[in-house]
Amino acid sequence: MNIEVKLTDTPKPKPTDESKLGFGSIFTDHMFIMEFNGDKGWEHARIEKFHDIAVSPAANVFHYGQEVFEGMKAYYNSGEIFIFRPDMNAKRINNSLQRLCMPKIDEEDFVEAVKKFVEVEKEWVPKSDGTTLYLRPFVIGLDSKLGVHPSSNYYFIIIAAPGGAYYARGIAPVSIWVEDEYVRAVRGGVGFTKTGGNYAASLLGQEKAEEHGCEQTLWLDGVERKYIEEVGSMNICFKIDGKIVTPMLNGSILPGVTRDSVITLCKDFGYEVEERRVSLDELMKAADSGKLEECFGTGTACVISPVGYLVNKDKKIVINEGKIGSLSQKLYDTLTGIQYNKLEDKHNWRVKVC
Ligand SMILES: *Cc1c(COP(=O)(O)O)cnc(C)c1O
């Protein structure tokens, strides 16, 4: 793929205090953009100044939600920059695109676009411990017709935001509200895709969790509301009686790159891993009998997010005394060690950008 690079002549000052970066509110100098123009396919790949885009108020994305995205990070260590398993994101964006009747992107082109863009923005990758450059590739449908049809014109854009350490104050376990009224996704729907609509559908459940004093929502399956699916923007994993148990991919769960990496690492560590249906009932019983040893969310943003409390109606269960468990800590240390080029990478997950 030919990517034209047009550097801005008005670069912005970079944040000086990396301890105050936060998440996703300041953006780098440039953006990657390419266009899909009907029969001509994807063209005009370029990296240019970060700018607002003009699209018709009738554009498909505003009315019928043709939008998919990815979430990735770039990691700095000793003058070098790395990304993590970008081939997985390339495959996943194509699965999302296909489900929403949007045109696929060649997987090698996707990875090349991400790498080239990170290289151009290399000075924006923060250097302090635990900080990253967060990358947000996304595709939107542009056709301005109010009839419900797939667009013939699209943008594929990548923007980037320097992000502070997720655990600036140490890894603190989160509290989770088990949502039994609203559902996030249903089998046969778009739950397995990273599309904005899934997040819009989750906001009300998130508000409810906060009203109940919890930080995140645990979603149950859309049919029986009995089986555990996932948390807000994380997959969920349990250690029950020495075994690792995580809900199997059933079409309504997002297939996380971190989830897949955690399963592989747990097997490396010698654990038995079960991907299967896990009912809320089973979980409550395991908690009551003291067999629920650990519970943690997995996702690119947090890496591993230990769950200290689960609140189900008026019952609150405390996991591992509300503290991070030893497996959660080991997974966090191993994954970040691989991502930052501090540990051996025997599965070839790490990709050097420059
Ligand atoms: C992105 C996402 C995840 C985590 O996926 P990773 O590839 O591990 O970042 C989990 N659940 C939902 C709903 C997501 O959107």
Side-chain angles (χ1 to χ4, degrees), residues 208-222:
K208 224 172 120 183
E210 287 165 19
E211 277 162 26
H212 287 87
C214 292
E215 288 153 282
Q216 306 231 13
T217 314
L218 178 68
W219 299 103
L220 301 177
D221 76 280

Side-chain angles (χ1 to χ4, degrees), residues 17 48 53 106 203 293 309:
D17 187 352
E48 60 193 25
I53 49 173
D106 180 274
L203 294 174
E293 295 160 22
Y309 308 91

